[in-house]
Amino acid sequence: MKLYKWIIPCLFLLLFTGCYNYRELNQIALTSAIGIDKTEDGKEYVVTVQVLNTQKQGSDSNYSGSQPKFILYEQKGPTLQHALRTIILESPRRLYVNHLNLLMISEDVAKEGIQEILDFFARNTEFRKDFLVVISREETPEDVMQILTPLETLNSKNIRDSITADAKFYGMATKVTFEDLLNTYLNRRTNVVLPSVEVVGNIKKGEGEDNIKQSIPDATVKLRPLAIFNGEKMIGYLTEEESRVYNYVQGNIQNSILTSSCSENGLFTSEIISTKTKLKPDIEKMKITMQVKANASIKEINCNMNLLDSNSIQILENKINQEMEEVIEEDVTKIIETYKTDIFGFEELLYKTDPTSYKKLKEQYGDELIENLEFEVNSNVKLQTKGNIVKEITR
């Protein structure tokens, strides 16, 4: 009987459980993006928050009514938490950040260091860790976040979708979630890489409704090449080609294009698909060998070649592989020599292969170990298709 007296109340407790910390939609501000900058004297953080306007009802089309689809709030503070909390001075609702899409860090803050930002977002239990992180080039995050985009209601979602599409179909950008960023930063044997964006066009006109009512907007937010770090500080930007090379080395390329010469004045463009990249370390020779295997299809050719001839196909394949090997080797070497930082994770690869030998090399070469590694590329790309036609269109 004593046992039953305990079991029955416990069953009732299970039946009547609920969400103890739920919040009504009309009590919260759904936050899509957060931008981080600093004041001119560098003493305070400037935090910009992009909030979804949930009062907007009706059509999903952009700005079909008088109310905006999103609202920007900006506050300053000596710490990030202070600045974010004081948003309540402007907003009647408390920020709800559990569905954050994007964290945008200004170029100036990134050059100064991102350790405090990482600590704040990692420590705060309200944030999920799957939002993307980007660098805003030249303009402040506020300037970037207030540009109206025609295809997406929120430009933060437009940026996120652009990064996803580029990573899948071109290979210049790379998706870096906050969790990815934190894990890379905490690993002393590799360094951080982040995508970057900038505003192209007239920023002031890009804020108005006319920007999304024109076939050619006055201002757009454009993806730019990758920003690279040494420790917590950003030290520069890669070129577009170097950014794609980085993604080739990392095995991030799913689909891309490559333009090569096929005659003295002619060019052909191939689509690279089904790419597989493998890095093989030789710790005794201090060498990293990269093996690339991929299929390709001809998308455009401006040379007078008979594509029914197997010799012609072999020539084009050789051109593709030669171009891949030369470009990747040259750019990897150039990045290491210029920035003297290991964004590729070569040292991590050596450590995982043979920790004991790696420690000896590290003691011998110190921070210059990455500069003393040899790098080689072996490319094996096969042309699978030639398009719908195999002969040149002539009259």
Side-chain angles (χ1 to χ4, degrees):
M1 291 299 293
K2 290 182 179 180
L3 183 61
Y4 285 122
K5 288 180 180 180
W6 286 103
I7 292 176
I8 292 174
C10 288
L11 290 174
F12 275 106
L13 287 174
L14 291 173
L15 291 173
F16 290 103
T17 56
C19 297
Y20 73 95
N21 63 343
Y22 80 98
R23 301 174 189 172
E24 295 289 349
L25 184 61
N26 61 0
Q27 297 175 344
I28 59 176
L30 295 174
T31 304
S32 177
I34 294 177
I36 298 176
D37 198 5
K38 279 199 170 182
T39 55
E40 290 186 6
D41 59 12
K43 294 181 178 180
E44 289 188 307
Y45 282 105
V46 180
V47 175
T48 305
V49 177
Q50 186 181 77
V51 173
L52 182 66
N53 185 0
T54 54
Q55 292 298 319
K56 178 71 177 171
Q57 301 292 332
S59 173
D60 288 332
S61 61
N62 287 332
Y63 284 76
S64 57
S66 58
Q67 295 188 44
K69 285 291 185 72
F70 65 85
I71 302 167
L72 294 185
Y73 295 110
E74 182 180 285
Q75 283 292 333
K76 302 174 185 178
T79 65
L80 291 169
Q81 180 61 53
H82 186 102
L84 275 172
R85 185 56 60 88
T86 52
I87 294 289
I88 201 71
L89 299 176
E90 295 183 74
S91 170
R93 304 177 185 180
R94 185 178 177 185
L95 298 180
Y96 182 75
V97 296
N98 203 35
H99 295 294
L100 187 69
N101 274 324
L102 193 72
L103 172 62
M104 187 177 297
I105 304 171
S106 76
E107 184 179 82
D108 292 338
V109 171
K111 288 179 179 178
E112 185 178 321
I114 61 172
Q115 183 170 331
E116 291 181 3
I117 297 173
L118 295 176
D119 183 89
F120 169 73
F121 283 94
R123 190 179 301 279
N124 198 313
T125 56
E126 292 188 5
F127 291 97
R128 295 163 63 181
K129 312 306 179 190
D130 59 350
F131 53 88
L132 297 188
V133 186
V134 301
I135 300 295
S136 62
R137 298 178 65 150
E138 299 185 11
E139 294 85 10
T140 65
E142 181 190 14
D143 288 337
V144 178
M145 289 163 59
Q146 64 189 348
I147 299 298
L148 304 184
T149 51
L151 296 181
E152 291 290 348
T153 299
L154 300 172
N155 69 358
S156 57
K157 188 176 186 302
N158 184 82
I159 293 171
R160 186 184 180 104
D161 291 347
S162 295
I163 292 173
T164 301
D166 181 279
K168 186 176 181 180
F169 297 111
Y170 187 59
M172 181 189 72
T174 185
K175 293 175 64 176
V176 181
T177 66
F178 179 78
E179 185 175 14
D180 297 331
L181 171 60
L182 185 61
N183 290 336
T184 303
Y185 176 75
L186 292 175
N187 187 339
R188 293 177 177 272
R189 291 179 292 274
T190 189
N191 280 293
V192 170
V193 168
L194 288 176
S196 67
V197 295
E198 72 174 358
V199 177
V200 177
N202 190 309
I203 294 177
K204 292 300 180 184
K205 289 184 178 180
E207 302 171 14
E209 292 184 27
D210 289 342
N211 198 56
I212 57 175
K213 293 180 179 178
Q214 304 175 99
S215 57
I216 302 178
D218 290 310
T220 59
V221 180
K222 183 179 180 180
L223 291 183
R224 301 291 289 140
L226 299 173
I228 66 172
F229 288 69
N230 190 348
E232 67 163 326
K233 297 182 179 181
M234 193 191 88
I235 57 175
Y237 294 103
L238 301 181
T239 65
E240 184 175 320
E241 181 183 279
E242 289 169 348
S243 298
R244 293 172 64 201
V245 164
Y246 167 82
N247 283 313
Y248 268 112
V249 175
Q250 297 299 104
N252 295 334
I253 296 289
Q254 301 177 45
N255 191 311
S256 189
I257 60 170
L258 181 68
T259 298
S260 309
S261 61
C262 50
S263 65
E264 187 172 333
N265 297 314
L267 299 172
F268 76 102
T269 297
S270 53
E271 183 177 18
I272 311 297
I273 55 177
S274 304
T275 308
K276 293 182 180 180
T277 301
K278 188 174 183 180
L279 296 177
K280 287 189 172 183
D282 188 332
I283 201 162
E284 291 183 0
K285 295 181 180 180
M286 296 179 61
K287 183 177 181 180
I288 305 288
T289 302
M290 175 180 170
Q291 295 180 341
V292 182
K293 288 186 178 182
N295 295 326
S297 60
I298 296 175
K299 293 300 181 183
E300 181 179 356
I301 184 166
N302 301 320
C303 305
N304 185 17
M305 298 183 71
N306 180 11
L307 298 184
L308 292 174
D309 184 0
S310 60
N311 290 330
S312 297
I313 298 300
Q314 186 63 53
I315 290 172
L316 295 180
E317 284 183 352
N318 291 340
K319 288 286 186 180
I320 294 174
N321 287 305
Q322 181 182 357
E323 185 89 9
M324 288 271 286
E325 291 174 356
E326 289 179 356
V327 168
I328 294 175
E329 286 183 14
E330 287 177 6
D331 283 349
V332 168
T333 302
K334 180 183 175 183
I335 292 169
I336 292 173
E337 290 179 350
T338 302
Y339 298 104
K340 304 185 188 308
T341 182
D342 184 5
I343 61 173
F344 302 104
F346 290 158
E347 288 196 27
E348 176 69 5
L349 183 62
L350 294 177
Y351 174 77
K352 288 181 177 179
T353 303
D354 189 342
T356 303
S357 298
Y358 167 78
K359 290 178 181 178
K360 292 179 180 178
L361 289 176
K362 193 65 176 175
E363 289 175 359
Q364 180 180 355
Y365 292 98
D367 293 337
E368 296 180 357
L369 174 58
I370 183 65
E371 301 173 55
N372 286 274
L373 295 178
E374 292 185 26
F375 184 73
E376 182 181 329
V377 181
N378 295 322
S379 176
N380 184 16
V381 178
K382 296 292 184 182
L383 277 171
Q384 299 293 318
T385 61
K386 312 168 190 66
N388 288 334
I389 59 175
V390 294
K391 293 184 179 180
E392 185 180 4
I393 294 177
T394 58
R395 290 186 62 180

